Amino acid sequence: MISWLQISEGQQSVFLLEKRLRRFHGMSKKELVLRAIRGEAVERIPVGFWLHYVTQEEKELGLDNPAVLEKSIKGHQHYVEEISPDFVKIMSDGFFRYPSALYSREITSIQELKDIQPIGEHHPWIEKQIEVVKEIRSHFHEEIASFYNIFSPISYLKRWFRTDHSRGDQVIADFIKEDPETLAHVLDVIAEDIAILSRRLIQEAGVEGIYFSTQQIQDERVTDEEYRKIIEPSSIAVLEAANEAGGINILHICGFEGASNEVELFKDYPAQVINWATHHEGISLAEGRKLFGNRAVLGGFVNGKKGLLYQGERATIEQETRRLVAEAGSRGLILGADCTVPDDFQLERLDWVRQAAVL
């Protein structure tokens, strides 16, 4: 069985932590996370990491391949059973591609998308995601919070132009220079569907909110002003819809080797929790808390295979955990990683962090 499903002998410590948590005013893990998000006192800092359960190719194939969705459902189920997490980020594995009939790898002009129409509230791409999330949550064995992965409209659009050598940023930059108004219109149409999906996930599927993943265009031709004017409004529309639906939402500013962001560009986005690549962007949790108006922050660890979290010794990871808490403060803090951890991540490492995060 693959390593991320393996359980360590130290798993007994998970149950001791849970027992201690229940003694703290009978608090569930869900309430622990919500208290942290609200900036209230907690007995320990909540911890969360997440990984993918399907292959890179399968991330786009769920709409027409039930086996991919079953693989994702079972992957989430094993994750919850094996580690008893503080909260779950439900991955949108299988649904990475927004299904407009107008899209084609051969599109060379944004004008070719000017007639794009919303797919509609009851499109299978939306309905199936609701079904999958309900099924995943039905396997939770305790009261824990969950957040569903949603990409920004620009991220869904950009994915259609990915190749083995490009993530599609150059194509988007070309579209901005060609016809920014039409590009903004296309993003608004996509946002309409993503807003519906977010609302239904919160109100029907029962998640606490969305984990909204976005990123700057990785092309120096696109200015901050152009980003704010052309791309930002569609992202804000989705987050506002999730807020109006009662969601407690996480903004993920996706940065990694080969992709950087001016984090300040996102400081006014309407989300309750902020997650960014602290090491890659050079902004600590404490600095980010100030930048984002003292909102809750999530992260602290590098997610990749070269980072401490993946390859470090237990004592070193525990030491770093305590350092992060001391630096960022114990309120409004959730410990996690910059982004998704590798598929072969050893889940016992999550527990090392969790044990060291007891206050």
Side-chain angles (χ1 to χ4, degrees):
M1 187 174 292
I2 58 177
S3 61
W4 61 267
L5 295 181
Q6 293 174 346
I7 201 74
S8 70
E9 294 181 359
Q11 184 64 19
Q12 293 178 354
S13 61
V14 174
F15 302 109
L16 292 175
L17 274 172
E18 291 173 353
K19 186 176 180 180
R20 183 175 178 181
L21 181 61
R22 286 194 295 271
R23 290 202 303 267
F24 188 60
H25 306 304
M27 190 189 307
S28 67
K29 288 180 177 175
K30 177 179 177 179
E31 181 59 22
L32 173 72
V33 171
L34 296 183
R35 281 181 180 239
I37 291 173
R38 295 193 297 261
E40 298 173 2
V42 293
E43 188 179 49
R44 68 173 177 84
I45 306 300
V47 176
F49 303 111
W50 39 87
L51 47 92
H52 290 292
Y53 305 101
V54 304
T55 66
Q56 184 68 29
E57 181 184 8
E58 289 171 336
K59 291 176 183 178
E60 299 183 353
L61 303 179
L63 187 58
D64 300 312
N65 190 337
V68 172
L69 303 186
E70 185 64 22
K71 189 176 180 181
S72 176
I73 291 168
K74 288 184 176 179
H76 284 88
Q77 181 180 357
H78 280 298
Y79 174 83
V80 171
E81 289 176 348
E82 300 295 344
I83 200 60
S84 188
D86 292 339
F87 67 97
V88 177
K89 178 199 167 190
I90 299 179
M91 310 300 282
S92 55
D93 288 350
F95 298 102
F96 273 38
R97 179 171 293 192
Y98 174 81
S100 173
L102 293 179
Y103 286 170
S104 167
R105 295 283 185 186
E106 287 70 42
I107 287 175
T108 59
S109 168
I110 190 61
Q111 286 294 319
E112 296 175 59
L113 295 178
K114 65 182 177 60
D115 295 324
I116 187 173
Q117 297 293 320
I119 61 175
E121 181 166 2
H122 300 293
H123 189 282
W125 188 77
I126 291 178
E127 294 287 356
K128 286 189 178 182
Q129 289 187 76
I130 303 298
E131 293 173 8
V132 168
V133 172
K134 286 181 177 179
E135 179 64 21
I136 288 171
R137 294 189 73 257
S138 73
H139 295 289
F140 289 2
H141 54 78
E142 59 182 322
E143 189 178 13
I144 50 179
S146 57
F147 304 86
Y148 187 70
N149 183 69
I150 291 285
F151 291 108
S152 62
I154 189 63
S155 297
Y156 283 114
L157 178 62
K158 190 170 70 171
R159 192 167 187 88
W160 275 90
F161 302 101
R162 289 186 63 161
T163 67
D164 292 339
H165 309 290
S166 170
R167 296 188 182 95
D169 297 271
Q170 291 182 341
V171 174
I172 299 300
D174 290 342
F175 290 165
I176 289 174
K177 299 308 177 183
E178 175 197 355
D179 188 345
E181 290 77 16
T182 298
L183 175 59
H185 165 68
V186 171
L187 294 175
D188 287 345
V189 171
I190 298 173
E192 181 178 336
D193 289 319
I194 306 308
I196 290 172
L197 172 61
S198 300
R199 171 180 59 78
R200 293 190 60 192
L201 286 163
I202 294 165
Q203 295 182 338
E204 297 179 32
V207 297
E208 272 58 51
I210 62 171
Y211 179 95
F212 186 81
S213 177
T214 193
Q215 184 185 78
Q216 279 183 266
I217 301 303
Q218 305 298 303
D219 190 301
E220 62 184 13
R221 292 175 293 163
V222 180
T223 66
D224 290 354
E225 181 180 358
E226 287 174 320
Y227 190 93
R228 288 192 175 100
K229 182 178 180 180
I230 301 163
I231 296 172
E232 181 177 290
S234 59
S235 291
I236 298 295
V238 175
L239 281 168
E240 287 181 341
N243 285 332
E244 291 170 4
I248 300 171
N249 306 303
I250 302 170
L251 170 64
H252 171 59
I253 307 166
C254 188
F256 48 87
E257 185 175 350
S260 299
N261 300 279
E262 293 182 42
V263 176
E264 187 174 357
L265 191 64
F266 303 89
K267 68 182 181 66
D268 296 322
Y269 277 41
Q272 291 75 32
V273 186
I274 315 298
N275 172 230
W276 69 97
T278 53
H279 295 266
H280 182 71
E281 310 292 9
I283 299 176
S284 69
L285 290 172
E287 292 168 334
R289 187 195 302 283
K290 293 179 181 179
L291 176 63
F292 289 100
N294 207 35
R295 280 178 280 176
V297 294
L298 164 62
F301 286 94
V302 174
N303 62 299
K305 291 192 174 184
K306 296 181 181 180
L308 171 66
L309 183 65
Y310 183 85
Q311 64 179 12
E313 298 293 331
R314 176 171 182 166
T316 309
I317 291 175
E318 291 175 340
Q319 181 181 11
E320 176 65 5
T321 299
R322 290 187 285 268
R323 186 195 71 79
L324 288 169
V325 175
E327 174 191 74
S330 61
R331 297 203 178 198
L333 174 64
I334 302 174
L335 291 175
D338 294 344
C339 197
T340 308
V341 299
D343 295 353
D344 60 350
F345 178 73
Q346 297 174 321
L347 287 183
E348 64 180 347
R349 292 173 173 269
L350 180 153
D351 197 41
W352 296 349
V353 176
R354 186 158 49 181
Q355 292 180 59
V358 176
L359 300 176

